[in-house]
Amino acid sequence: MDLDGFDRQLLNLLQQDSAPTAERLAEKVPLSPSAIQRRVKRLKDEGYILTEVAVVDPKKVGRPTFFVVSLEIERERPELLASLRAWLAAQDEVQQAYYVTGAADFVLVLTAPDAEAYDAFMNRLVAENPNVRRFTTNVALGVVKRSLAVPVRSIGADG
């Protein structure tokens, strides 16, 4: 499916807040509420919208500390990579995990209540994943921006 301007506008709005009714969206997108409902359903059915989530305040739920971790692995054999990927995907502390190019093999974004909990997690990671050679950690001192929004450009726009 090709995205038209209305679809792109809806995707941008829904990435900011997925809770508005079709009536509220119709105040910003010049379509009827029923047309908006059909489009949103189609965007979900065709996989443009993967899921809808609530963004939780990490401080209020006892997870105020973020760590950006670079992992280096010993060997890049497919079965070892698959095992590490599965392990990382199963861990609640791991918010994001990327297999990357460069000096590191994986970059992770982790959340923890404090440094001690992070240290315990990393000890478990290394103990349960012998293919991990080393890791480096950056502690986030503050959040400048936290988002998973993907810019959806208007038709004819640069970018």
Side-chain angles (χ1 to χ4, degrees), residues 34-51:
S34 60
I36 286 176
Q37 285 176 323
R38 285 191 303 273
R39 283 174 179 265
V40 170
K41 181 182 181 327
R42 190 184 77 235
L43 291 167
K44 289 177 182 178
D45 290 347
E46 294 187 10
Y48 286 91
I49 297 173
L50 299 175
T51 190

Side-chain angles (χ1 to χ4, degrees), residues 58-59 61-68 92-95 109-122 139-140:
K59 291 177 185 170
V61 295
R63 295 234 180 245
T65 313
F66 291 88
F67 303 87
V68 179
D92 290 338
E93 297 87 347
V94 179
Q95 282 198 314
V109 177
L110 307 174
T111 181
D114 52 38
E116 291 79 20
Y118 166 76
D119 188 47
F121 174 82
M122 291 308 291
V139 179

